[in-house]
Amino acid sequence: RGLGDVYKRQLLDYLNTHNRHYLLGCYLLFYCFVRPKEISLIKINDFSVKCGTLRLHADNSKNRKDAVITLPNKVLKLLVDLNVFSFPGNYYLFSNGFIPGKDFRDSKQFRDYWISFVRKALDFPASYKFYSLKDTGVTSMLRARIDNISVRDQARHSSILITDIYTCLLYTSDAAD
């Protein structure tokens, strides 16, 4: 469940060269577990650089709850490198061409780019989808021995039982290796 290390490295190399704004979307999914629909609704003023957080509004989240998500330094650095904070606060983070702008773009743009460019260029199997990055991120945290409750909270799972599904899959795949 998710992308292996070789595929993650290929993806990083490809996007660093071809589309760093799309890479930011991948980072938000992989490190912060922000769902594609939620990503498409993020505005610049939802970030706090000072606190290193991203605020998701209840109206825009799957579970209809406000959430404050801690941003890893890697995500903050890419936000700064892409000059995201030079855009007006009311701009969507991912508008046309995945750059900040005033026009809303549906989350479908992430899936379409993945299929048309990423998967094709890197010859990824059809089973590897944009959303697979969330599964990969959860699994990576668990492999790093981060406790299930912290993973649950970062992933905003409704129950520890959901997070435990990843734990079972992790140990099943480790046993097969």
Side-chain angles (χ1 to χ4, degrees):
R1 203 172 155 130
L3 280 69
D5 290 340
V6 171
Y7 289 106
K8 286 189 297 189
R9 171 54 48 201
Q10 289 175 328
L11 179 64
L12 179 63
D13 292 344
Y14 176 78
L15 292 176
N16 259 323
T17 303
H18 292 89
N19 192 337
R20 294 186 78 221
H21 287 275
Y22 187 84
L23 176 62
L24 177 60
C26 292
Y27 275 10
L28 289 170
L29 188 57
F30 177 82
Y31 290 109
C32 305
F33 313 133
V34 181
R35 298 168 183 93
K37 182 180 178 191
E38 297 166 338
I39 291 172
S40 70
L41 294 164
I42 294 172
K43 293 193 174 182
I44 305 300
N45 60 10
D46 292 330
F47 291 98
S48 170
V49 177
K50 180 182 173 191
C51 298
T53 58
L54 166 63
R55 182 171 186 257
L56 297 179
H57 303 275
D59 293 345
N60 301 338
S61 71
K62 180 181 176 185
N63 64 9
R64 297 287 177 217
K65 294 179 182 174
D66 283 333
V68 176
I69 297 169
T70 302
L71 297 171
N73 288 335
K74 190 172 219 165
V75 177
L76 279 169
K77 182 179 179 341
L78 186 55
L79 284 162
V80 170
D81 288 351
L82 295 173
N83 295 313
V84 164
F85 302 110
S86 66
F87 291 88
N90 65 334
Y91 272 27
Y92 289 97
L93 178 62
F94 296 104
S95 188
N96 299 317
F98 300 103
I99 62 170
K102 61 182 176 185
D103 297 322
F104 169 78
R105 290 293 311 271
D106 190 85
S107 62
K108 184 179 179 301
Q109 75 171 330
F110 291 98
R111 184 183 66 233
D112 291 348
Y113 188 87
W114 182 272
I115 292 167
S116 298
F117 296 97
V118 173
R119 197 165 68 201
K120 193 177 280 187
L122 300 176
D123 198 30
F124 281 2
S127 62
Y128 284 5
K129 300 176 180 1
F130 176 65
Y131 198 78
S132 299
L133 293 171
K134 183 175 186 249
D135 295 340
T136 305
V138 170
T139 303
S140 293
M141 284 183 80
L142 292 169
R143 281 189 194 280
R145 304 251 186 256
I146 296 172
D147 67 278
N148 290 17
I149 292 173
S150 297
V151 175
R152 178 206 61 197
D153 292 348
Q154 181 77 353
R156 294 171 293 125
H157 288 152
S158 58
S159 161
I160 194 70
L161 297 174
I162 302 296
T163 309
D164 283 345
I165 290 170
Y166 290 91
T167 306
C168 292
L169 292 170
L170 174 66
Y171 291 122
T172 302
S173 71
D174 283 349
D177 288 344

